[in-house]
Amino acid sequence: MKFSPLINELITSLKCLPGVGQKSAQRMAFQLLERNRNGAMQLSVALHNAMQHVQHCQQCRTFTEQNLCDICADGLRGESAQICVVESPQDVMAIEQTAEFKGRYFVLMGHLSPIDGIGPADIGLDLLAQQLSELQIEEVILATNPTVEGEATAHYIAQLCKQHNVNASRIAHGVPFGGELEYIDGNTLTHAFAGRKSL
Amino acid sequence: MKFSPLINELITSLKCLPGVGQKSAQRMAFQLLERNRNGAMQLSVALHNAMQHVQHCQQCRTFTEQNLCDICADGLRGESAQICVVESPQDVMAIEQTAEFKGRYFVLMGHLSPIDGIGPADIGLDLLAQQLSELQIEEVILATNPTVEGEATAHYIAQLCKQHNVNASRIAHGVPFGGELEYIDGNTLTHAFAGRKSL
């Protein structure tokens, strides 16, 4: 005994969402059918439109439905000599919320991971190399995640910058604000000590 | 600074799913865009089809795209004199998996909850009353959830059955198989003692 074909199809399709298994998918399907058919129809349209029209920005590789994303299309920022390299569009959002950085971004959409078959070309480093050689870039700020893969990726890009005589810098690692020292892991503390500044 | 309009729309729409907030919706949107556009397109179609065509079974009120669900359309079962009353289609599925019950179902799609403005008509009790008076029903098995609302709903339906001279029974409550006595709550144990059977 199974649910009716259309309901089964809906449940199966919902499982393509990350973190959604059989039970959650069932709950979602029945919740939508019972209480929010309009929301579900909107979701259907939004999914269709996004999948059809969203592509990569031709300059920074983030997701956008235009050829250039809003930041790259912004005259001043789009031609900035400072590039901040991040792993994902969400990272761009996090940095933008600080309103601190006025340059432009380069979004890798992942990190180097030879074990998963993800090489330099898969994270757009050929495009970055092209920009480093053709455009007037003064500094590349490496803001990849402080994980093993993120560090390796940062290191690789730093080498790439060296080849093109462009300065590369890495964002500081250390104790986060609001954290309590006793709960900070050893790795972070080591970085915090190594990166200490004289007052 | 925000994501591009289509991405924003997708994230907002994903939040209509139960248990999905801003961060999960972002994660889902980017995961689909990056890795599973086909899955997302299928989900879009499945949502559209299900919302357009799935309605309530005319006899038992469960969800189906036909006029009658598979069980009600099954000659023998659909005209069974035993009706099992449950709160949701998932409950039907759980009971069907035991392959024990051979009658048909009546799905309330909720429970009585005056505080939320859900009265007898909202859970289809007018349809049930009609079936009790017009059809040859011998027994109504009340399998609503063992919660306060579920119990109240069962009680209300039992009264309804009495008015139509139909036997009503409630599924047994007690210690579940595989449970350890020391971890069972007091309410369940009280029911287990009250419902004891002589061997």
Side-chain angles (χ1 to χ4, degrees):
Chain A
M1 168 75 200
K2 279 180 172 181
F3 296 109
S4 75
L6 287 183
I7 299 179
N8 260 333
E9 214 171 288
L10 177 57
I11 293 173
T12 312
S13 306
L14 280 166
K15 287 198 279 185
C16 79
L17 297 172
V20 176
Q22 176 69 23
K23 281 279 169 190
S24 316
Q26 275 183 25
R27 198 163 61 96
M28 286 175 171
F30 286 111
Q31 164 94 357
L32 292 177
L33 282 167
E34 266 174 70
R35 284 168 222 229
N36 201 354
R37 294 203 178 210
N38 285 339
M41 286 306 255
Q42 271 171 27
L43 175 56
S44 166
V45 174
L47 276 166
H48 183 267
N49 287 344
M51 298 306 140
Q52 284 274 304
H53 302 296
V54 172
Q55 14 131 40
H56 293 283
C57 168
Q58 287 174 359
Q59 183 167 263
C60 77
R61 297 188 83 234
T62 194
F63 282 123
T64 175
E65 55 259 34
Q66 269 98 41
N67 288 334
L68 288 178
C69 71
D70 283 355
I71 294 175
C72 290
D74 175 339
L76 274 177
R77 296 195 67 179
E79 291 163 18
S80 167
Q82 263 192 333
I83 299 183
C84 176
V85 177
V86 294
E87 291 187 18
S88 75
Q90 292 100 308
D91 298 338
V92 173
M93 219 44 47
I95 296 174
E96 282 301 289
Q97 269 161 17
T98 67
E100 197 58 45
F101 178 67
K102 299 291 177 215
R104 67 179 180 87
Y105 295 90
F106 190 88
V107 185
L108 302 173
M109 294 285 172
H111 45 234
L112 285 180
S113 180
I115 216 165
D116 301 314
I118 301 175
D122 300 307
I123 56 171
L125 294 190
D126 43 353
L127 181 63
L128 183 63
Q130 187 190 335
Q131 292 179 13
L132 289 178
S133 63
E134 292 177 4
L135 304 176
Q136 283 286 329
I137 310 294
E138 281 168 14
E139 184 183 8
V140 171
I141 302 172
L142 298 163
T144 53
N145 289 329
T147 56
V148 175
E149 292 92 348
E151 289 292 335
T153 308
H155 191 75
Y156 187 95
I157 300 174
Q159 295 292 324
L160 195 71
C161 293
K162 217 175 213 172
Q163 287 168 24
H164 291 86
N165 284 321
V166 174
N167 290 325
S169 61
R170 181 93 174 101
I171 54 168
H173 293 150
V175 179
F177 271 88
E180 288 187 58
L181 224 63
E182 69 171 308
Y183 297 112
I184 307 278
D185 66 297
N187 215 340
T188 304
L189 275 181
T190 310
H191 270 97
F193 270 87
R196 70 188 180 278
K197 290 181 183 172
S198 55
L199 292 175
Chain B
M1 168 74 201
K2 280 180 171 182
F3 296 110
S4 75
L6 287 183
I7 299 180
N8 261 332
E9 214 172 287
L10 176 57
I11 293 172
T12 312
S13 306
L14 280 166
K15 286 198 279 185
C16 80
L17 297 171
V20 176
Q22 177 69 21
K23 281 280 169 190
S24 316
Q26 276 184 26
R27 198 161 62 95
M28 286 175 171
F30 286 111
Q31 164 93 356
L32 291 177
L33 283 166
E34 267 175 70
R35 284 167 222 230
N36 201 354
R37 293 203 179 209
N38 285 339
M41 285 306 254
Q42 271 172 27
L43 175 56
S44 166
V45 174
L47 277 166
H48 183 267
N49 287 344
M51 298 306 141
Q52 283 274 305
H53 301 297
V54 172
Q55 13 132 41
H56 293 283
C57 168
Q58 287 173 358
Q59 184 168 262
C60 77
R61 298 187 83 235
T62 195
F63 282 123
T64 175
E65 55 259 35
Q66 269 98 40
N67 288 335
L68 289 178
C69 70
D70 284 354
I71 294 175
C72 289
D74 175 339
L76 274 179
R77 296 194 68 178
E79 291 163 19
S80 167
Q82 263 191 334
I83 299 183
C84 176
V85 177
V86 294
E87 291 187 19
S88 75
Q90 293 100 306
D91 298 339
V92 172
M93 221 41 51
I95 297 174
E96 281 301 289
Q97 269 162 17
T98 67
E100 197 58 45
F101 178 66
K102 299 291 176 213
R104 67 180 180 87
Y105 294 90
F106 190 87
V107 185
L108 301 173
M109 294 286 172
H111 45 232
L112 285 180
S113 180
I115 215 164
D116 302 314
I118 301 176
D122 299 308
I123 57 172
L125 294 190
D126 43 353
L127 181 62
L128 183 63
Q130 189 191 336
Q131 292 179 13
L132 289 178
S133 62
E134 291 176 6
L135 305 176
Q136 283 286 329
I137 310 293
E138 282 169 15
E139 185 183 8
V140 171
I141 302 171
L142 298 164
T144 52
N145 289 329
T147 56
V148 175
E149 293 92 348
E151 289 292 335
T153 309
H155 192 74
Y156 187 94
I157 300 175
Q159 295 291 323
L160 196 70
C161 292
K162 218 174 212 174
Q163 287 168 24
H164 291 86
N165 283 320
V166 174
N167 290 325
S169 60
R170 182 92 174 100
I171 53 169
H173 294 150
V175 180
F177 270 89
E180 288 189 56
L181 223 61
E182 70 171 309
Y183 297 112
I184 307 279
D185 66 297
N187 214 341
T188 304
L189 275 181
T190 310
H191 270 96
F193 271 89
R196 68 188 182 278
K197 290 181 184 173
S198 56
L199 292 174

